[in-house]
């Protein structure tokens, strides 16, 4: 009888820990919000967040209006076909270096691996932006967030 009470006490303790862990997990997940997009860092952050949210129309709006810009449908198809896959990577947006109407934003890009023995590692990269009509627009992002043929001359 004494052992049964002890076992029940242990099971109740384990159950309480599980409930506490689940509560912490679901309440501590911060929701990422869009930033004000009047800085290169804000535009870069918002572009990445729009891709994560699969809001391709919003993301497309952050692209610079230059020669050989992809059409919206080419942009969207690049993600839908898997040629460009932001789901396989994540990024932290760092500081911007601004030189008049050109900016470079530091990024740490994290690539995920599908095997249990590889750690997710971060590599340094950058996003390039230009100021067009008083608005920062993206001209380059790392591979997982950018099509290799965007802004390239078509043969």
């Amino acid at each position: 009888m004494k052992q049964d009470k002890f076992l029940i006490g242990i099971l109740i303790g384990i159950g309480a820990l599980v409930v506490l862990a689940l509560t912490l997990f679901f309440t501590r997940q911060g929701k990422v919000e869009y930033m004000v997009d009047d800085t290169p860092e804000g535009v870069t952050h918002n572009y990445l967040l729009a891709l994560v949210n699969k809001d391709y129309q919003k993301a497309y709006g952050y692209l610079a209006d230059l020669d050989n810009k992809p059409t919206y449908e080419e942009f969207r198809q690049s993600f839908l076909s898997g040629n460009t896959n932001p789901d396989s990577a994540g990024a932290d947006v760092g500081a911007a270096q601004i030189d008049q109407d050109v900016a470079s934003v530091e990024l740490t890009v994290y690539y995920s691996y599908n095997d249990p023995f590889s750690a997710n590692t971060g590599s340094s990269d950058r996003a390039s932006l230009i100021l067009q009509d008083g608005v920062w627009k993206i001209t380059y992002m790392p591979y997982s967030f950018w099509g290799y043929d965007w802004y390239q001359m078509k043969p």
Side-chain angles (χ1 to χ4, degrees):
M1 189 73 157
K2 189 175 184 181
Q3 275 187 323
D4 289 341
K5 288 183 181 181
F6 183 71
L7 180 61
I8 290 172
I10 289 175
L11 292 175
I12 289 172
I14 290 171
L17 287 175
V18 167
V19 168
L20 178 65
L22 289 172
T23 301
L24 287 174
F25 175 77
F26 287 113
T27 59
R28 295 191 75 194
Q29 288 182 345
K31 184 173 183 189
V32 181
E33 300 285 331
Y34 286 104
M35 297 173 61
V36 177
D37 54 9
D38 59 354
T39 64
E41 298 96 323
V43 169
T44 304
H45 170 86
N46 291 346
Y47 174 79
L48 293 169
L49 184 55
L51 292 180
V52 168
N53 292 337
K54 299 193 183 332
D55 186 351
Y56 301 120
Q57 189 72 41
K58 184 171 185 76
Y60 185 75
Y62 290 113
L63 298 185
D65 294 320
L66 299 173
D67 291 340
N68 302 309
K69 177 182 179 179
T71 65
Y72 171 70
E73 194 53 38
E74 291 170 333
F75 176 82
R76 189 174 150 275
Q77 273 307 121
S78 182
F79 294 103
L80 295 178
S81 68
N83 290 339
T84 307
N85 187 4
D87 294 336
S88 67
D92 287 333
V93 178
Q97 302 286 337
I98 301 172
D99 184 17
Q100 296 180 0
D101 61 348
V102 177
S104 178
V105 178
E106 296 174 7
L107 296 173
T108 303
V109 180
Y110 299 96
Y111 295 98
S112 60
Y113 301 100
N114 292 330
D115 66 88
F117 303 109
S118 298
N120 291 345
T121 56
S123 62
S124 295
D125 213 323
R126 63 180 175 73
S128 298
L129 297 90
I130 59 171
L131 195 59
Q132 286 187 324
D133 300 322
V135 179
W136 288 105
K137 297 286 189 166
I138 300 171
T139 60
Y140 170 80
M141 289 287 288
Y143 167 69
S144 291
F145 312 106
W146 196 260
Y148 71 92
D149 58 345
W150 298 351
Y151 297 101
Q152 303 296 317
M153 289 200 48
K154 309 288 187 218

